């Protein structure tokens, strides 16, 4: 068995990671740290884990060596302690934004402060298996992915991979998100009475995850708009772009199917009947799938490409576990078999 | 025009009061105070009031004399400053719990601390027009009502008024409530991600509003159970009790209709077909109606009596305005004409 | 008093119209027809109207002459009986799509069938006061507006009116909508268990309301994408477009404020702090306001313009009543004073 | 591998069963029938199963012999074809209400029609492992359980098992339920616009599941009240009853812990702090747990006992699979390992 610990396990991402790792057949959970819940049972914070684990939250200062260390802290923490963490574990997967960008200048531009461990940036591989499966398999350090960036990147991936996009036209991505993205801390706008029933565009431009899309997709003229809707888990990214002249619907089918065939957690959803004809995060809660779909206006080349994910799974903890599986040479889907629910 | 001010206007009750008073044909809104929002436009906190009022929040210390003063502060404040407030206004309506109970010992028992102005308790009339219309018309000081207590009291009123209840049997009231009851401050359990989709019984026994039901209905053996459900506005009280032997459904119809006939904001909802056959808070958002319904098991005298209200209207600010109307000798329904929406 | 009747009053649009007209100080409601509910009280279908009206649904064949006739039937009905209706009332306001488009060929293109009364198309004025206040004041026949088209048109209006839009760039409008748009009939996907928690893009291109935007805004290269979210009432249109070179944020402020100043039901929402910084349908349920907001990326001229409305009010029945007010020479806001609720 | 088929696999219960059986390590799914979806892929109806199974719905008339046959049809079907089904499979688990009651007269009383195969009633074991584990292990025919009955029965089980209940006092059970209980067909009140935001008491007395509680718990004076709330999956039963004189909180702890210790899917939730202090269906979606909790008013013996379940899991398909596991001599928890999600 491989020993694994989580630093920062009381947040939503950490809790989801814990759920996955407790159910993982190759993993022996060692420690979960939390500054504010030291000594409490993990199920007191994550009530779904009751009767699943008698683990208690440890003090971060008591962290012991393990085979794989997951970091699930707020942004800005991992970079300050990365030397220490690397002395405790040969393999690290960091779910925060600290090591996602390759370029320290980009980090400063998008996050508004200097990176405190820029020399580490090049050691990390961006942890989206659909983009970097090979590198991840050989890596020691993996960065997590932004949930919104992931929905964008996967909505665009078939188009980029098949080189079907007209990059001279701006890509506009409208992203709708659930409340779990706000984290377990929240703010005054996260109160149920204020957050229920919303269609709230909280970022018209300049969301930080844009940087990950630019870096990973190589698209410069792209804009992300973020809208909160009434849902706990889920992201739908709807990318509006232009395909190269002559691109037909059949070319797109081919491109999307190729991505689905190469990746165990990608599915194409494009049905002519039934209720679920397009990708929908509703049915993905707890699953690691990314559902892709598209519509092409052949008269003018306008493509609408969609990707639905569970932000805490494929957009965070699920992808992180998938990376661990690749890193360790295990089956990529291990511990990630949950199909999702219908109805829900 | 009658001048009116609100002390503590940034909470949900205060905001609803402000909305009602701004639309009231006999009222001239003078001041709205808020400790934390001094100088801000009221519409910055209550966005529905944009383009309705250019009023700004005043500092509580700058409060000026008016004809009617509404107090909408957290519990415990009004009793400390009641002498001061009474020097500023001949008529006071306090929405908090401070002056609801007639007996200082009861206050101490249910609220866990000594009342700081017990000599004022007898000067206040409990502000539920359906119970005390006459007294309210002649009063100078009115206490607000607990939202859950109001749903209970009105569910029981026809039975008490027609003397149909067998008081030797315990009355059990199950109350389901929306998130606006938690107030604009909330707590960690009020976050949308934690509060959405809940059926959460947060109080099995001993809710403070029980004291108001005991006092106003004269029922001693009664128990209130509080369950939070996914809704912003609304309360449904379902009272289980036993009717006196020989009571038939037609007696109940008579009793319920009598209450509806005497009270402009009470309706009986008991239909044999259609979607809305029973009282439902869903359609009451923003309205001052209390919808009553019942079912009797004639085989054993078990009655299920229901009352649905909007907790911020009939359960707080709506009743308060209704009291002002009575106090001032105006039409009881003035400024409270909104019918509610369907669907919503 | 002006006599008014509604043809087709059992749907959501008809019910909302009825609520507004029953509360209108200048109107005497005469008849409300419904094929399937003849003889039932209107409050059995629209439960919010209980104790407001003892009106019963009439058989459509018993329709009597009135001063103003509202048609609230499913699409395709009004055009078949318009001669008959016009013999009964000198003024008609049709909420359906039958008379929105000026050109019979456009109707056939977007609705897939020949118009059965094309000679009537030119007699109708498109019923959005913000666009055609003068014409509406003098008209006898008014067409309703598409709810999604209205959100689009108002999002674009300040830009068109101030001539700030670069029409060589495609405009992409992402529209998020509540479930009441689906109407009282619904379909299998409208069931709560399937419709709750959705982010469902049901139309990527070619929604019929696009025709109204092209006609009214004069923008040819425009695309509407429709996404259902978990909400009953409300539409948010987010228009992505390009402003003319040199356009600055201050020019946009001027353009948006101009529209808000000219129109009693338009507000600009663009705050730097608080919870409600942008237009949100959440707080508009039951109100006739259209809230506009914008963000400009000055580096490249990309504008995100937003409009939030209640689809049953400003997007349907509210605008229809506003048109009646103008037609009759009354204050434009009569019967439409409800401010909306917070929280809700 | 054990071959298994499902009759009636297009409903919610059938879909959930299919999800569980496809993931079950000992099962080989053979056929899933549906009258209305013959030839369609199961994932077209149950979109969560995309990429999980290429199974198509079979015509019910083509049903082939298997080791275990699950019946998931609407009530009334199984009893008509039970002879046929029993010729195809040595073991049958019927999720409908057809074989839950032991007494044909009870069936007629509660379901309003004669049972068409009364001689089969005694062959079936009531399929709640927490009540009949031993019998189930040896049975050939298992009946499913009513979801609401299950929540009631498990709320009462610790009290009955430890003989702590004063049966001279009426037990009143208030049950709050999600929309998936209404099934995939629904009715006009199931439309999202009508069903969202509800607190709708659709049955004050006489719900059919009462019969299962009377039969299994041996409590005669019991009443179930059913209230629909805004949630897709989940039931919370809150039972109000009286404990025998002298019963203290510590006795209850003992009784509840005993049930949790004997049953792998029962947990006791009774915390002094944190957000999740009581049983809540919110966190149980997709899990087979039944969470129990209680509060005792020691002054008068009034106990509030709560049980939360996922109606489609512990209340239907999950219990059915648990029964199969027992019947086949496998580990009781096989295929039912999903922990549930937090937040959701």
């Amino acid at each position: 068995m491989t020993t694994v610990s989580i630093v920062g396990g009381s947040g939503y991402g950490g809790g989801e990671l814990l759920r996955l790792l407790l159910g993982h057949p190759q993993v022996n959970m060692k420690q979960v740290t939390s500054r504010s819940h030291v000594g409490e049972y993990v199920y007191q914070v994550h009530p779904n884990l009751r009767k699943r684990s008698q683990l208690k939250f440890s003090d971060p200062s008591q962290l012991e060596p393990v085979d794989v260390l997951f970091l699930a802290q707020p942004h800005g923490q991992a970079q300050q302690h990365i030397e220490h963490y690397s002395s405790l574990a040969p393999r690290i997967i960091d779910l925060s934004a600290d090591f996602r960008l390759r370029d320290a200048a980009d980090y400063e531009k998008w996050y508004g402060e200097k990176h405190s461990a820029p020399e580490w940036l090049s050691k990390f591989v961006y942890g989206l298996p659909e983009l970097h499966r090979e590198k991840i398999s050989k890596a020691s350090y993996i960065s997590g992915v932004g949930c919104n960036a992931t929905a964008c990147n996967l909505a665009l991936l078939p188009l980029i991979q098949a080189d079907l996009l007209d990059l001279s036209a701006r890509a506009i991505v409208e992203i709708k998100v659930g409340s779990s993205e706000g984290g377990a801390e929240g703010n005054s706008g996260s109160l149920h009475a204020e957050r229920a029933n919303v269609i709230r565009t909280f970022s018209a431009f300049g969301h930080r995850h844009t940087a990950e899309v630019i870096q990973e997709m190589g698209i410069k003229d792209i804009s992300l708009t973020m809208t909160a809707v009434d849902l706990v888990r889920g992201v739908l990214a709807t990318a509006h772009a232009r395909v190269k002249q002559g691109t037909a619907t059949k070319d797109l089918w081919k491109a999307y199917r190729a991505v689905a065939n190469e990746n165990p957690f990608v599915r194409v959803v494009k049905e002519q009947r039934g209720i679920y004809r397009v990708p929908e995060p509703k049915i993905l809660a707890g699953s690691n799938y990314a559902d892709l779909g598209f519509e092409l206006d052949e008269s003018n080349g306008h493509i609408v490409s969609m990707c639905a994910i569970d932000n805490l799974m494929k957009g965070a903890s699920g992808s992180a576990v998938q990376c661990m599986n690749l890193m360790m040479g295990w089956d990529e889907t291990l511990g990630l078999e949950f199909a999702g629910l219908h109805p829900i």
Side-chain angles (χ1 to χ4, degrees), chain A:
Chain A
M1 297 289 274
T2 298
T3 56
V4 173
S5 291
I6 300 172
V7 177
S10 60
Y12 291 159
E16 192 69 347
L17 206 45
L18 185 51
R19 175 180 74 83
L20 294 171
L21 294 172
L22 286 170
H24 196 291
Q26 297 288 347
V27 159
N28 181 14
M29 270 306 305
K30 201 162 169 185
Q31 288 181 294
V32 187
T33 75
S34 164
R35 243 179 264 283
S36 47
H37 294 277
V38 177
E40 291 180 48
Y41 287 109
V42 295
Y43 66 74
Q44 293 182 292
V45 173
H46 305 299
N48 54 329
L49 302 181
R50 187 182 294 270
K51 216 168 180 169
R52 289 306 179 102
S53 168
Q54 292 300 106
L55 210 60
K56 292 179 176 180
F57 287 110
S58 308
D59 191 298
S61 67
Q62 308 295 317
L63 197 64
E64 296 165 18
V66 280
D67 297 326
V68 183
L69 186 63
F70 285 89
L71 308 177
Q73 303 158 287
H75 301 320
Q77 300 290 308
Q79 57 187 280
Q80 288 176 36
H81 306 289
I82 186 64
E83 292 287 352
H84 173 58
Y85 294 140
S86 68
S87 75
L88 293 173
R91 291 181 189 81
I92 292 176
I93 301 178
D94 172 35
L95 274 73
S96 83
D98 284 15
F99 300 103
R100 292 180 195 162
L101 303 183
R102 294 287 71 76
D103 183 339
D106 278 348
Y107 183 86
E108 190 172 346
K109 175 183 165 195
W110 289 94
Y111 288 84
E113 52 188 17
K114 272 205 156 3
H115 198 285
S116 52
E119 70 282 10
W120 277 85
L121 289 175
S122 61
K123 299 183 186 172
F124 274 79
V125 175
Y126 187 77
L128 194 63
E130 289 73 14
L131 299 182
H132 304 295
R133 185 170 284 106
E134 283 309 305
K135 280 191 191 166
I136 291 167
S137 307
K138 298 168 190 156
S140 298
Y141 304 111
I142 309 272
S143 85
V145 292
C147 47
N148 305 309
T150 297
C152 274
N153 285 334
L154 294 177
L156 294 166
L157 182 61
L159 302 167
I160 293 293
Q161 195 168 291
D163 195 19
L164 295 174
L165 222 51
D166 176 352
L167 292 172
S168 73
R170 155 161 303 196
I172 289 167
V173 193
E174 276 257 346
I175 303 176
K176 298 96 182 170
V177 305
S179 59
S180 58
E181 277 206 3
E185 301 298 322
N187 56 42
S188 62
S190 310
L191 277 184
H192 182 273
E194 308 290 1
R195 179 67 174 72
N197 301 312
V198 294
I199 313 177
R200 180 180 292 162
T201 298
F202 61 91
S203 172
F205 295 113
H207 190 278
R208 288 166 167 186
H209 289 185
T210 311
E212 293 171 51
V213 181
I214 293 172
Q215 171 181 288
E216 296 298 326
M217 290 292 112
I219 301 179
K220 290 206 173 121
D221 195 7
I222 190 163
S223 160
L224 275 60
T225 300
M226 308 291 312
T227 300
V229 298
D230 195 342
L231 179 76
V232 173
R233 282 183 183 230
V235 185
L236 181 75
T238 309
H240 297 266
R242 195 194 291 156
V243 291
K244 286 185 173 166
Q245 211 160 3
T247 305
T249 295
K250 67 173 167 40
D251 304 315
L252 293 165
W253 266 114
K254 202 176 151 190
Y256 281 73
R257 279 186 179 136
V259 173
N261 289 339
E262 292 156 16
N263 293 287
F265 289 114
V266 175
R267 305 187 291 197
V268 181
V269 182
K270 186 169 164 55
E271 297 285 336
Q272 297 305 312
R273 60 177 186 164
I275 297 172
Y276 296 87
R277 305 178 186 196
V278 290
E280 281 201 47
K282 173 183 166 74
I283 56 159
L284 298 178
S287 111
N288 200 44
Y289 286 114
D291 283 352
L292 308 187
F294 67 91
E295 287 296 326
L296 174 67
D297 186 341
E298 292 197 340
S299 75
N300 56 27
H302 181 169
I303 184 169
V304 177
S305 182
M306 291 166 269
C307 174
I309 58 170
D310 174 344
N311 52 300
L312 293 176
M313 284 293 301
K314 189 72 205 156
S317 307
S319 279
V321 170
Q322 194 180 348
C323 286
M324 176 186 70
N325 288 341
L326 288 168
M327 232 176 173
M328 303 301 293
W330 302 330
D331 182 310
E332 190 171 344
T333 65
L334 223 55
L336 298 167
E337 297 88 351
F338 181 60
L341 299 170
H342 171 248
I344 184 168

